[in-house]
Amino acid sequence: MHTSTFSAASGERRHDCRIPPARLATAAVCASLLCACADVRMPNYRQPDTPVKASWSGQATPVSASEAITPEWWKEFRDPYLDSLVTKAIQGNFDVKVLAARIRVAEAAIGEARAGALPTLNAGAGASFEKSTGQNFARQFNLNTQVNWDIDIWGKVEKGVQAQTAEYRASEADWRAAYLTLVSDVSTTYFQILQLDEQIDSQQQALDKAKQILAIYEAQYRNGLLPNTRVLQQRAEINRLTTDLLELRRARSLSDNALATLMGVPAGEFKVPSGHLQEKIELPDVPSGLPSELLKRRPDIVAAEYRVLEAYDLVGQAKLAQLPSVSLTASGGTSSLALSGLLKSFTFGLAPAINIPVLDPGVRARVKTSEAQSEVIEQQYRKTVMAAFEEVENTLVNLDAHKKQRAELEQQIEHLRVVAAQVEGQLKEGMVSQLDVFEAERSLLGTQLALLANHQQILSDTVTLYKALGGGWPPVEVSNARR
């Protein structure tokens, strides 16, 4: 420890060197030798390897995702009301707000990590008063300051800053992933509400037809043309249709509540106006993209890779902790029995120190823990990539199957319309009864409901595909570049 005392009254400076320079040089040589022994090497960061996928199923000519998906992809459905719902949800959803707050926390943590390389200054002032029996009243005043500086000569603090910067960017990607999920949920919930509205209308029509059939059955029963069991069966059918109608209305109310929560509105205080899905929502062209682009565009994959980068930096920081650390402590102060003499003399001290972790099991254990944690995070990244591939592939399979089913349902409806028209003509000629007409209309109505459900499935599949392909977010190159 090197101290220097200065007396303002005499102008003399006295020095006290407790550690000779030769010893400091010897310590520096020892530190250098230890540095050579510690394994602090880090390979250049590389994206974790994952199984390669060349193309998507059922796409002979892949299209760049940037050409197929726009940032406001939900506008491809050509429904201004959906656009307004998405806008309100982005502004009011609390999940998105929570993630936005986490971004601010991660950004503030960068400054906190960077502060570890800066010196700290503490200052204090005090006074003491003492009176003993038979002694004069004693008092003493003092001022003191102390500066501590852990010199980041190996870059340990900078590694921590880099790790926290990666976490900050991962938090941004988490927000984008939540944004995509939110827009997807708003769209599919809205489509479901419109589907339920159309199903409620169709179910009401079916119930009305069933009541008309019951009236005919009851008339035939009174005339002895039909057994009572047929009347009871029809009444049971009306009970079933009424139960289903009540269930559809219940589901509609729950969907309204779900959509309200997505927009940050208390459940029960929001209701979507009634509408028909097939009339309001157009089927857009199916977006597509190259598998390689998926890894750079999907926010959840980007977030996972940033956390791989963060783990990489934390391993580097743990390795650097094996090296000696250098710190400087400077202190200064003064004391006096009277305030008037407080500034007449000062004491300064400078204490450089080298801390050499010769035997610290915790340091080496921290390196192994960081390396093991890094491996876990890399595997989580690969898991995220594989799940993304599966999501896209499943959605493409669903879209292909539902579109083929749509073609079959449309043909079925055309056939049933011809049947219904012919049965209506036969009724006018007295060849069939009104019951036959009702049965034909009911069959047509059932197939139309199946086509409606198919329409909603294709819309939901399309929304899922937009989300799965990255939702129009620009590609991100996760590398060792720093802010």
Side-chain angles (χ1 to χ4, degrees):
M1 178 177 180
H2 180 279
T3 62
S4 175
T5 305
F6 176 77
S7 173
S10 64
E12 296 179 350
R13 185 183 300 274
R14 298 184 298 276
H15 298 277
D16 180 14
C17 298
R18 299 183 182 179
I19 299 180
R23 292 189 180 182
L24 289 175
T26 303
V29 171
C30 293
S32 300
L33 292 174
L34 286 170
C35 292
C37 296
D39 182 14
V40 297
R41 295 170 299 172
M42 286 291 292
N44 292 332
Y45 172 78
R46 293 180 58 187
Q47 184 185 58
D49 59 292
T50 56
V52 178
K53 187 170 179 60
S55 62
W56 301 118
S57 300
Q59 291 191 335
T61 308
V63 180
S64 170
S66 60
E67 298 175 2
I69 304 177
T70 62
E72 296 182 328
W73 50 265
W74 57 90
K75 292 186 177 180
E76 297 296 321
F77 295 103
R78 311 296 180 190
D79 185 359
Y81 189 76
L82 173 60
D83 300 343
S84 68
L85 290 177
V86 170
T87 300
K88 291 177 182 178
I90 293 172
Q91 295 172 350
N93 182 263
F94 287 98
D95 289 334
V96 171
K97 288 181 178 180
V98 168
L99 291 172
R102 287 179 180 172
I103 293 175
R104 293 190 290 272
V105 171
E107 185 175 25
I110 295 175
E112 183 180 353
R114 187 171 285 119
L118 302 177
T120 61
L121 172 64
N122 297 308
S128 63
F129 304 93
E130 183 177 340
K131 179 68 174 70
S132 300
T133 303
Q135 301 292 329
N136 294 330
F137 182 78
R139 58 187 175 184
Q140 185 174 18
F141 304 93
N142 60 78
L143 294 173
N144 62 79
T145 60
Q146 181 170 306
V147 178
N148 297 306
W149 186 18
D150 293 329
I151 304 175
D152 189 28
I153 58 177
W154 310 116
K156 288 183 289 186
V157 173
E158 181 58 27
K159 274 294 181 184
V161 172
Q162 292 172 354
Q164 191 55 51
T165 301
E167 175 58 29
Y168 166 74
R169 292 178 175 173
S171 298
E172 288 184 320
D174 287 339
W175 182 91
R176 292 193 291 269
Y179 175 100
L180 267 183
T181 300
L182 173 63
V183 176
S184 174
D185 290 346
V186 168
S187 301
T188 53
T189 304
Y190 174 61
F191 297 155
Q192 184 180 33
I193 289 174
L194 295 183
Q195 178 192 3
L196 288 169
D197 283 342
E198 204 160 342
Q199 285 180 313
I200 288 171
D201 290 345
S202 298
Q203 189 74 7
Q204 187 63 58
Q205 294 177 24
L207 182 59
D208 293 340
K209 293 291 183 183
K211 289 179 179 179
Q212 293 176 9
I213 294 174
L214 177 61
I216 295 174
Y217 282 174
E218 288 176 338
Q220 291 178 340
Y221 169 70
R222 287 193 296 269
N223 294 325
L225 301 176
L226 202 69
N228 188 40
T229 54
R230 193 67 178 270
V231 175
L232 294 177
Q233 287 175 344
Q234 188 60 25
R235 288 176 178 170
E237 176 68 8
I238 291 174
N239 294 140
R240 184 189 68 81
L241 292 173
T242 302
T243 301
D244 291 345
L245 182 60
L246 293 172
E247 176 64 20
L248 289 172
R249 288 173 176 163
R250 183 191 68 86
R252 213 282 190 183
S253 296
L254 294 182
S255 297
D256 275 330
N257 292 341
L259 189 55
T261 300
L262 289 173
M263 295 191 300
V265 177
E269 296 185 6
F270 177 81
K271 182 176 177 64
V272 174
S274 298
H276 283 188
L277 181 67
Q278 297 179 97
E279 295 176 0
K280 295 195 66 175
I281 309 299
E282 298 181 11
L283 290 174
D285 295 331
V286 177
S288 58
L290 296 172
S292 59
E293 293 176 328
L294 181 71
L295 304 185
K296 299 177 182 179
R297 292 181 179 277
R298 271 186 65 128
D300 58 338
I301 295 179
V302 172
E305 188 179 352
Y306 269 127
R307 289 193 167 92
V308 172
L309 178 58
E310 178 187 8
Y312 165 86
D313 288 330
L314 291 176
V315 170
Q317 186 182 44
K319 286 188 173 183
L320 291 175
Q322 300 175 98
L323 301 178
S325 60
V326 177
S327 63
L328 294 176
T329 301
S331 61
T334 179
S335 63
S336 175
L337 298 178
L339 281 174
S340 58
L342 192 61
L343 301 179
K344 290 183 178 181
S345 65
F346 299 91
T347 300
F348 300 96
L350 179 64
I354 299 177
N355 181 29
I356 303 173
V358 177
L359 181 61
D360 189 346
V363 172
R364 296 185 180 275
R366 192 175 303 114
V367 173
K368 293 182 179 180
T369 301
S370 300
E371 290 175 337
Q373 184 64 26
S374 178
E375 175 63 23
V376 171
I377 294 175
E378 285 188 16
Q379 297 301 339
Q380 289 175 338
Y381 168 80
R382 295 185 179 98
K383 178 182 176 181
T384 302
V385 172
M386 297 300 290
F389 285 151
E390 181 184 9
E391 184 179 12
V392 176
E393 282 289 343
N394 288 348
T395 306
L396 290 172
V397 169
N398 289 337
L399 266 172
D400 181 65
H402 290 151
K403 286 189 172 182
K404 289 177 179 178
Q405 291 171 0
R406 180 181 182 82
E408 296 296 329
L409 287 170
E410 287 174 342
Q411 290 184 11
Q412 184 178 357
I413 287 175
E414 288 301 319
H415 296 157
L416 290 176
R417 281 175 177 165
V418 172
V419 171
Q422 290 179 351
V423 171
E424 184 72 27
Q426 292 172 353
L427 176 65
K428 295 178 180 179
E429 297 176 1
M431 299 175 61
V432 296
S433 66
Q434 184 66 46
L435 289 175
D436 296 318
V437 175
F438 288 154
E439 290 294 338
E441 290 176 348
R442 185 163 60 180
S443 297
L444 176 59
L445 182 60
T447 308
Q448 289 173 334
L449 286 175
L451 181 63
L452 170 64
N454 175 269
H455 187 80
Q456 193 272 339
Q457 288 171 336
I458 293 176
L459 288 173
S460 296
D461 291 340
T462 305
V463 168
T464 302
L465 190 57
Y466 276 121
K467 171 178 171 288
L469 291 175
W473 287 109
V476 176
E477 289 287 349
V478 178
S479 64
N480 214 13
R482 306 303 179 187
R483 268 178 53 167

